[in-house]
Amino acid sequence: MPPLQPSKIVCVGRNYAAHARELGNDVPSEPLIFLKPPSSLIRTGESIRLPTVSKQVEYEGEIGVVIGSRLRRAGLAEARSAIAGIVAANDVTARDLQKSDSQWTRAKGFDTFCAVGEMAAAPADLASLVVRTRVNGKVRQEGRYTKLVFDIPAVLVYISAVMTLEAGDLVLTGTPEGVGTLHPGDVVEVEIDGLSRVSNPVISDS
Ligand code: MG
Protein backbone atom coordinates (compact mmCIF):
# COMPACT_ATOMS: atom_id res chain seq x y z
CA MET A 1 0.00 0.00 0.00
CA PRO A 2 1.45 3.45 -0.83
CA PRO A 3 2.23 5.64 2.18
CA LEU A 4 -0.50 8.00 3.28
CA GLN A 5 1.13 10.92 5.04
CA PRO A 6 -1.29 13.83 5.10
CA SER A 7 -0.16 17.14 6.59
CA LYS A 8 -3.67 17.28 8.01
CA ILE A 9 -6.94 15.38 8.10
CA VAL A 10 -9.96 17.65 7.67
CA CYS A 11 -13.38 16.25 8.52
CA VAL A 12 -16.95 17.37 8.00
CA GLY A 13 -19.53 16.91 10.76
CA ARG A 14 -23.28 16.45 10.35
CA ASN A 15 -23.14 16.14 6.57
CA TYR A 16 -26.01 13.65 6.30
CA ALA A 17 -29.37 14.96 7.53
CA ALA A 18 -30.46 11.63 9.04
CA HIS A 19 -27.23 11.37 11.07
CA ALA A 20 -27.53 14.95 12.35
CA ARG A 21 -31.06 14.09 13.50
CA GLU A 22 -30.11 10.81 15.20
CA LEU A 23 -27.79 12.76 17.53
CA GLY A 24 -30.37 15.51 18.07
CA ASN A 25 -28.57 18.13 15.96
CA ASP A 26 -29.71 20.44 13.19
CA VAL A 27 -28.18 20.24 9.72
CA PRO A 28 -25.64 23.07 9.56
CA SER A 29 -26.19 25.87 7.04
CA GLU A 30 -22.57 25.57 5.90
CA PRO A 31 -20.05 22.73 6.29
CA LEU A 32 -19.01 22.10 9.91
CA ILE A 33 -15.30 21.25 9.80
CA PHE A 34 -12.83 19.91 12.34
CA LEU A 35 -9.38 18.29 12.32
CA LYS A 36 -8.01 14.90 13.28
CA PRO A 37 -4.27 14.60 13.89
CA PRO A 38 -2.21 12.52 11.43
CA SER A 39 -1.04 10.53 14.47
CA SER A 40 -4.54 9.00 14.64
CA LEU A 41 -4.06 7.16 11.30
CA ILE A 42 -4.06 3.38 11.01
CA ARG A 43 -4.43 1.06 8.03
CA THR A 44 -6.44 -2.10 7.51
CA GLY A 45 -5.68 -4.88 10.00
CA GLU A 46 -4.35 -2.58 12.71
CA SER A 47 -6.27 -2.45 15.99
CA ILE A 48 -8.54 0.38 17.11
CA ARG A 49 -7.66 0.90 20.78
CA LEU A 50 -10.49 1.98 23.09
CA PRO A 51 -9.12 4.57 25.53
CA THR A 52 -9.97 3.89 29.17
CA VAL A 53 -11.26 7.47 29.66
CA SER A 54 -14.19 6.83 27.31
CA LYS A 55 -17.17 4.53 27.82
CA GLN A 56 -18.65 5.19 24.38
CA VAL A 57 -16.32 4.90 21.41
CA GLU A 58 -18.27 4.79 18.15
CA TYR A 59 -17.55 4.00 14.51
CA GLU A 60 -18.31 6.52 11.77
CA GLY A 61 -17.96 5.06 8.26
CA GLU A 62 -17.16 7.78 5.74
CA ILE A 63 -16.16 8.50 2.16
CA GLY A 64 -12.57 9.78 2.35
CA VAL A 65 -10.91 11.95 -0.29
CA VAL A 66 -7.17 12.16 -0.96
CA ILE A 67 -6.08 15.51 -2.37
CA GLY A 68 -3.88 15.36 -5.48
CA SER A 69 -2.80 18.96 -5.90
CA ARG A 70 -2.64 22.09 -3.78
CA LEU A 71 -5.94 23.87 -3.31
CA ARG A 72 -6.23 27.43 -2.05
CA ARG A 73 -9.41 29.45 -2.48
CA ALA A 74 -10.47 26.96 -5.11
CA GLY A 75 -13.57 27.06 -7.28
CA LEU A 76 -15.77 24.03 -7.88
CA ALA A 77 -14.06 22.87 -11.10
CA GLU A 78 -10.56 23.16 -9.63
CA ALA A 79 -11.71 21.33 -6.51
CA ARG A 80 -13.18 18.47 -8.55
CA SER A 81 -9.99 18.04 -10.57
CA ALA A 82 -7.83 18.00 -7.41
CA ILE A 83 -9.37 14.73 -6.16
CA ALA A 84 -6.55 12.16 -6.38
CA GLY A 85 -8.61 9.28 -5.09
CA ILE A 86 -11.19 7.87 -2.74
CA VAL A 87 -10.60 5.87 0.45
CA ALA A 88 -12.85 4.07 2.90
CA ALA A 89 -12.45 5.82 6.26
CA ASN A 90 -13.55 5.32 9.85
CA ASP A 91 -13.79 8.58 11.86
CA VAL A 92 -13.66 6.82 15.23
CA THR A 93 -15.17 9.05 17.91
CA ALA A 94 -15.38 9.00 21.71
CA ARG A 95 -19.02 10.15 21.75
CA ASP A 96 -19.17 10.78 25.49
CA LEU A 97 -16.09 13.01 25.35
CA GLN A 98 -17.45 14.78 22.28
CA LYS A 99 -20.51 15.68 24.35
CA SER A 100 -18.62 16.68 27.50
CA ASP A 101 -15.87 18.74 25.82
CA SER A 102 -16.68 22.10 24.22
CA GLN A 103 -14.63 21.16 21.17
CA TRP A 104 -13.82 17.81 19.58
CA THR A 105 -10.03 17.51 19.53
CA ARG A 106 -9.86 14.92 22.29
CA ALA A 107 -12.95 12.95 21.22
CA LYS A 108 -11.70 12.64 17.64
CA GLY A 109 -7.96 12.64 18.17
CA PHE A 110 -6.85 9.49 20.00
CA ASP A 111 -4.20 7.30 18.39
CA THR A 112 -5.89 4.70 16.10
CA PHE A 113 -9.04 6.85 15.67
CA CYS A 114 -8.65 7.29 11.90
CA ALA A 115 -8.69 4.01 9.96
CA VAL A 116 -8.19 4.37 6.22
CA GLY A 117 -8.26 1.82 3.39
CA GLU A 118 -6.34 1.66 0.13
CA MET A 119 -6.82 4.53 -2.31
CA ALA A 120 -8.84 3.98 -5.48
CA ALA A 121 -9.32 6.30 -8.44
CA ALA A 122 -12.45 8.40 -8.02
CA PRO A 123 -15.30 7.30 -10.29
CA ALA A 124 -16.23 9.67 -13.11
CA ASP A 125 -19.64 10.02 -11.47
CA LEU A 126 -19.13 10.76 -7.77
CA ALA A 127 -22.87 10.23 -7.25
CA SER A 128 -22.30 6.48 -7.62
CA LEU A 129 -20.32 6.32 -4.35
CA VAL A 130 -21.82 4.25 -1.52
CA VAL A 131 -20.21 3.73 1.89
CA ARG A 132 -21.14 0.79 4.12
CA THR A 133 -20.09 0.00 7.69
CA ARG A 134 -20.19 -3.53 9.09
CA VAL A 135 -19.59 -4.59 12.67
CA ASN A 136 -18.85 -8.31 13.04
CA GLY A 137 -20.16 -8.77 9.51
CA LYS A 138 -23.52 -7.06 10.10
CA VAL A 139 -24.32 -3.91 8.09
CA ARG A 140 -24.85 -0.94 10.41
CA GLN A 141 -24.55 2.04 8.06
CA GLU A 142 -25.22 2.64 4.39
CA GLY A 143 -24.55 6.13 3.04
CA ARG A 144 -25.09 7.29 -0.50
CA TYR A 145 -23.15 10.20 -1.96
CA THR A 146 -26.40 11.70 -3.16
CA LYS A 147 -27.48 12.09 0.48
CA LEU A 148 -24.54 14.33 1.39
CA VAL A 149 -25.71 17.78 2.45
CA PHE A 150 -22.51 19.29 0.98
CA ASP A 151 -20.92 17.24 -1.83
CA ILE A 152 -17.18 16.70 -2.20
CA PRO A 153 -16.35 19.67 -4.48
CA ALA A 154 -18.42 22.00 -2.29
CA VAL A 155 -16.61 20.74 0.82
CA LEU A 156 -13.19 21.24 -0.80
CA VAL A 157 -14.11 24.77 -1.89
CA TYR A 158 -15.22 25.58 1.65
CA ILE A 159 -12.11 24.13 3.33
CA SER A 160 -9.71 25.73 0.83
CA ALA A 161 -11.18 29.14 1.63
CA VAL A 162 -9.94 28.60 5.20
CA MET A 163 -6.71 26.60 4.86
CA THR A 164 -4.54 25.48 1.97
CA LEU A 165 -5.06 21.81 1.16
CA GLU A 166 -1.80 20.11 0.15
CA ALA A 167 -1.30 17.07 -2.05
CA GLY A 168 -1.74 14.02 0.17
CA ASP A 169 -4.10 15.70 2.61
CA LEU A 170 -7.13 13.68 3.61
CA VAL A 171 -10.72 14.91 3.81
CA LEU A 172 -13.45 12.87 5.54
CA THR A 173 -16.88 13.83 4.29
CA GLY A 174 -19.15 12.91 7.19
CA THR A 175 -20.98 9.82 8.37
CA PRO A 176 -24.51 8.60 7.58
CA GLU A 177 -27.00 7.49 10.23
CA GLY A 178 -26.50 4.27 12.16
CA VAL A 179 -23.50 5.09 14.33
CA GLY A 180 -22.98 2.80 17.30
CA THR A 181 -20.64 1.77 20.08
CA LEU A 182 -17.58 -0.45 19.59
CA HIS A 183 -16.58 -3.13 22.10
CA PRO A 184 -13.37 -5.12 22.61
CA GLY A 185 -13.40 -8.12 20.30
CA ASP A 186 -15.46 -6.42 17.58
CA VAL A 187 -14.24 -6.20 14.01
CA VAL A 188 -15.38 -3.03 12.22
CA GLU A 189 -15.18 -2.65 8.48
CA VAL A 190 -15.88 0.35 6.26
CA GLU A 191 -16.22 -0.21 2.53
CA ILE A 192 -16.73 2.09 -0.41
CA ASP A 193 -18.53 -0.28 -2.76
CA GLY A 194 -16.09 -1.78 -5.23
CA LEU A 195 -13.29 0.69 -4.45
CA SER A 196 -11.78 0.64 -0.97
CA ARG A 197 -12.15 -1.22 2.29
CA VAL A 198 -10.69 -0.92 5.78
CA SER A 199 -11.17 -3.58 8.44
CA ASN A 200 -9.94 -3.27 12.03
CA PRO A 201 -10.19 -5.33 15.20
CA VAL A 202 -11.14 -3.45 18.36
CA ILE A 203 -9.19 -3.85 21.61
CA SER A 204 -9.17 -2.11 24.97
CA ASP A 205 -6.20 0.19 25.54
CA SER A 206 -5.06 -1.10 28.89
MG1 MG B 1 -17.37 11.89 11.20
Side-chain angles (χ1 to χ4, degrees):
M1 231 183 287
L4 185 63
Q5 294 176 314
S7 74
K8 54 192 169 297
I9 304 165
V10 190
C11 307
V12 185
R14 301 170 191 165
N15 201 20
Y16 290 81
H19 169 65
R21 281 197 300 271
E22 78 178 338
L23 295 183
N25 297 304
D26 292 329
V27 175
S29 58
E30 51 186 15
L32 172 61
I33 62 173
F34 62 92
L35 294 167
K36 287 170 92 79
S39 48
S40 65
L41 271 174
I42 56 171
R43 306 307 297 259
T44 198
E46 295 184 75
S47 295
I48 294 169
R49 297 200 310 268
L50 305 177
T52 54
V53 295
S54 173
K55 298 289 172 264
Q56 191 186 1
V57 174
E58 299 194 347
Y59 54 84
E60 294 191 357
E62 309 200 3
I63 299 167
V65 180
V66 178
I67 302 299
S69 56
R70 176 176 288 183
L71 284 179
R72 181 169 179 269
R73 299 180 184 170
L76 285 169
E78 186 190 357
R80 176 65 181 86
S81 64
I83 299 171
I86 298 294
V87 291
N90 193 341
D91 171 21
V92 182
T93 302
R95 194 73 65 204
D96 48 355
L97 305 185
Q98 185 185 29
K99 288 171 183 163
S100 64
D101 291 358
S102 61
Q103 45 73 37
W104 303 352
T105 304
R106 184 168 68 137
K108 298 282 192 177
F110 286 93
D111 290 354
T112 78
F113 269 28
C114 189
V116 173
E118 70 279 16
M119 187 177 87
D125 180 14
L126 294 173
S128 67
L129 292 170
V130 178
V131 58
R132 252 178 266 277
T133 307
R134 295 180 184 86
V135 179
N136 305 326
K138 187 176 175 209
V139 176
R140 300 293 191 87
Q141 293 185 288
E142 181 183 290
R144 297 184 175 274
Y145 183 86
T146 50
K147 295 280 192 181
L148 285 171
V149 178
F150 302 101
D151 68 13
I152 291 174
V155 162
L156 300 184
V157 165
Y158 185 85
I159 295 168
S160 80
V162 178
M163 63 188 83
T164 301
L165 286 167
E166 303 287 357
D169 281 354
L170 184 59
V171 174
L172 271 49
T173 57
T175 200
E177 69 276 21
V179 296
T181 307
L182 292 169
H183 304 280
D186 286 344
V187 174
V188 59
E189 174 186 291
V190 180
E191 181 173 21
I192 311 288
D193 282 6
L195 294 179
S196 180
R197 176 180 162 277
V198 62
S199 175
N200 304 93
V202 177
I203 62 172
S204 62
D205 190 14
S206 54

